[in-house]
Amino acid sequence: RKMRARVKGAWSGQTVLQIFRNVFRADEATLPKIEDSIDKGRLLVDGKRPGKNVPLRTGQLITHDIHRHELIVLSEVPRVLSVGAGFVLGG
């Protein structure tokens, strides 16, 4: 899933990490994941990897390629077949 946002005037002058912290409310546990996305090229600004300390300008395009797992939807309630030390076997 690709998330897109244009840098708004109020965000101008902030770095990508500052925008994620201040605007998108990323917490301290999430910021290393954002840095990893930058390092791996999944988070881009105008199609390029942004410098972590480079302030952005109004109108620049931030794209973030993220992967999310959908929750499993079962057609019926699973049965518990066995319970052991550290595991549950269902079917």
Side-chain angles (χ1 to χ4, degrees):
R1 180 174 187 187
K2 190 170 290 248
M3 308 300 283
R4 294 179 180 91
R6 291 262 178 207
V7 176
K8 313 292 185 240
W11 310 352
S12 187
Q14 296 183 61
T15 66
V16 170
L17 293 175
Q18 288 171 326
I19 291 171
F20 270 83
R21 183 184 301 116
N22 301 331
V23 177
F24 299 124
R25 308 265 189 229
D27 58 21
E28 293 304 315
T30 303
L31 291 175
K33 295 175 185 176
I34 301 299
E35 289 187 64
D36 186 58
S37 288
I38 293 170
D39 293 340
K40 292 182 177 170
R42 291 191 308 259
L43 193 152
L44 304 172
V45 175
D46 291 337
K48 299 176 185 163
R49 289 183 191 178
K52 293 177 189 169
N53 297 314
V54 176
L56 302 186
R57 299 179 316 274
T58 301
Q60 287 186 292
L61 179 63
I62 301 170
T63 56
H64 191 195
D65 226 354
I66 60 173
H67 179 81
R68 298 204 178 198
H69 290 273
E70 299 291 328
L71 296 176
I72 296 171
V73 178
L74 302 175
S75 61
E76 58 187 55
V77 177
R79 296 181 298 134
V80 175
L81 301 175
S82 179
V83 177
F87 74 91
V88 174
L89 178 62

